[in-house]
Amino acid sequence: MHAVFRVGSRQMVDFTPHRPFVMPATRRSASIQGLPRSRWISAFGTDDQLVEWFKPRTCPPWLSPDTLEALPPSLVVRELRYNVTQRGFRSRRITVVTTLIDAERYPCADLAALYQQRWEAETHLAQLKTTMQMDVLHGQTVLGVHKELRVFAILDNLVRLVILQSAKQQRVGVERISFLDALRWLGAPATGVPLEALFINPTRPNRVEPRVKKRRPKAFPFMTKSRRALRQVVLQQRLGD
């Protein structure tokens, strides 16, 4: 399994050939300030290099000690940086790290296009929260919430299966099939609508949409107490009047 990640803001990346580096657990001092924690190996271009990342000596809080122990002492990865010239994108220079270290097989332009596809995850989350109305869970217990999440996961996988079959029959990519149309087909298969009749979304490359709310929210306060307690407040106000 391979991956392409964006480099965190705290990770130092320097594309200078044969540059110095700092090993993990090195005591901080003014002489090592600004030096990266990766060892330079080779360069494929001006902003494309092969480096070695080392395992930290201390376990991060988001990682279990057993998982850290199972990791190798070091990992050879590829760091690259590219510019974004398309209008509508906030970032202008993006630095990514990947385990796809073959520069001839995986050029920088292909990796940039692959990383851009990560926004499909935002679309999938919107389909779960908005189209399938998963933004508000109704379970009153932990077990009830877990059951509700499992049902949503099963339903989402069934919709994805319908989308896959329809995409194969219509010979288009799975991202082109309408999620809402597939969900409606799954809820009413007895209508006789064939899978090859599911709606195909038009190709909209480099689509940019504003991140705003369409409808004005109601001017009511949030429900921070139980309904029974709020009823008592309303009754007391009426009796006071």
Side-chain angles (χ1 to χ4, degrees):
M1 180 181 293
H2 294 280
V4 179
F5 295 104
R6 187 167 184 174
V7 177
S9 58
R10 299 183 62 182
Q11 181 72 25
M12 300 179 185
V13 178
D14 188 355
F15 291 95
T16 304
H18 306 286
R19 53 169 172 72
F21 67 98
V22 180
M23 289 294 295
T26 303
R27 181 174 296 180
R28 295 183 179 181
S29 63
S31 59
I32 67 172
Q33 187 176 3
L35 294 180
R37 269 60 176 172
S38 60
R39 183 178 68 88
W40 184 88
I41 298 178
S42 62
F44 302 116
T46 305
D47 293 333
D48 192 350
Q49 64 183 5
L50 198 67
V51 297
E52 182 181 12
W53 281 17
F54 299 96
K55 182 170 67 174
R57 297 291 180 85
T58 58
C59 185
W62 47 268
L63 195 65
S64 64
D66 295 338
T67 304
L68 179 66
E69 185 66 24
L71 294 176
S74 62
L75 182 66
V76 176
V77 294
R78 181 181 169 194
E79 296 174 342
L80 55 100
R81 181 177 294 158
Y82 60 91
N83 298 324
V84 177
T85 58
Q86 180 182 337
R87 298 181 59 183
F89 283 77
R90 180 177 57 187
S91 300
R92 295 302 178 185
R93 289 178 64 84
I94 296 179
T95 305
V96 298
V97 58
T98 178
T99 55
L100 301 171
I101 60 177
D102 191 343
E104 294 184 0
R105 186 175 182 182
Y106 306 104
C108 180
D110 292 349
L111 292 177
L114 178 62
Y115 181 71
Q116 187 181 6
Q117 293 180 7
R118 78 196 186 282
W119 291 110
E120 293 294 332
E122 297 290 338
T123 304
H124 297 164
L125 291 175
Q127 291 167 350
L128 282 170
K129 295 168 62 178
T130 305
T131 308
M132 296 177 59
Q133 301 179 1
M134 188 183 164
D135 55 337
V136 177
L137 300 177
H138 302 280
Q140 300 297 320
T141 62
V142 176
L143 181 60
V145 171
H146 286 174
K147 288 182 179 179
E148 197 171 357
L149 290 176
R150 282 194 290 268
V151 170
F152 274 113
I154 293 173
L155 180 58
D156 182 68
N157 280 275
L158 290 175
V159 175
R160 301 295 173 185
L161 182 60
V162 171
I163 290 176
L164 177 61
Q165 295 176 353
S166 178
K168 287 182 177 179
Q169 295 184 14
Q170 303 192 65
R171 298 181 179 180
V172 295
V174 292
E175 70 280 357
R176 297 282 307 279
I177 302 299
S178 170
F179 183 90
L180 179 59
D181 210 20
L183 180 62
R184 290 171 176 171
W185 185 93
L186 189 64
T191 55
V193 178
L195 282 176
E196 56 269 16
L198 294 184
F199 183 76
I200 300 178
N201 292 321
T203 304
R204 293 169 289 190
N206 304 324
R207 184 185 181 190
V208 177
E209 292 291 342
R211 203 163 192 175
V212 296
K213 293 182 178 180
K214 184 177 180 181
R215 294 178 176 85
R216 185 172 301 173
K218 301 295 189 298
F220 295 105
F222 289 101
M223 187 175 180
T224 57
K225 299 180 181 179
S226 64
R227 192 176 297 274
R228 179 180 299 178
L230 292 176
R231 288 198 188 102
Q232 293 296 329
V233 173
V234 174
L235 291 176
Q236 292 177 2
Q237 290 177 351
R238 290 183 177 179
L239 292 176
D241 296 338

